[in-house]
Amino acid sequence: MADNIFSKIIAKQIPAKIVFEDDRSLAFRDVNPQAPVHILVVPKQDIANVAATGDETLLGHLLTVAAAIARQEGIDSTGYRLVINKGRDAGESVPHLHVHLLGGRALQWPPG
Ligand code: AMP
């Protein structure tokens, strides 16, 4: 198992506010939310970032899960944003692939 905070959350070694789980993915609330709804969807498999896997089925699954959670959170009709940060210039801070689900307010575009 990789040694990062999300791997520890997946292993249930540290707590998180989990909103969804299945055999391939886990979703939990971001500890420093940037919107009323800010949830991270992660693969259970150790994958460092979006460029570190060619598993199209898994990548599609993460997006499908994010869309289902958006419905569950009641933000499907108002809208939401899915973000995957990769590398320094994007501000990626945890080396385990994660999809941000952001919504519950009007989001600015372009991002900062
Ligand atoms: P990124 O900048 O794309 O790598 O996003 C990492 C995200 O993980 C940030 O939004 C952090 O607030 C969030 N985060 C870091 N530690 C935790 C944690 N223990 N539980 C939930 N979210 C976390």
Side-chain angles (χ1 to χ4, degrees):
M1 191 185 75
D3 186 23
N4 64 68
I5 194 94
F6 292 171
S7 297
K8 292 189 171 83
I9 289 172
I10 291 162
K12 310 280 171 67
Q13 291 173 351
I14 64 168
K17 291 182 179 168
I18 293 170
V19 297
F20 176 85
E21 178 170 15
D22 67 10
D23 57 329
R24 289 177 283 172
S25 66
L26 187 72
F28 51 89
R29 295 193 191 278
D30 196 293
V31 76
N32 182 25
Q34 301 302 309
V37 175
H38 187 174
I39 289 166
L40 303 170
V41 184
V42 306
K44 287 188 170 176
Q45 200 181 328
D46 283 333
I47 298 173
N49 59 61
V50 71
T53 180
D55 188 339
E56 297 175 5
T57 303
L58 178 60
L59 290 169
H61 183 68
L62 298 177
L63 297 181
T64 303
V65 165
I69 295 170
R71 285 193 290 277
Q72 184 179 294
E73 293 287 317
I75 57 171
D76 181 65
S77 60
T78 48
Y80 54 88
R81 186 171 294 160
L82 303 180
V83 173
I84 299 175
N85 292 319
K86 161 71 169 77
R88 184 191 60 199
D89 281 359
E92 181 195 352
S93 61
V94 180
H96 184 107
L97 175 60
H98 49 285
V99 179
H100 295 258
L101 165 63
L102 294 148
R105 67 170 172 84
L107 301 166
Q108 303 297 310
W109 191 263

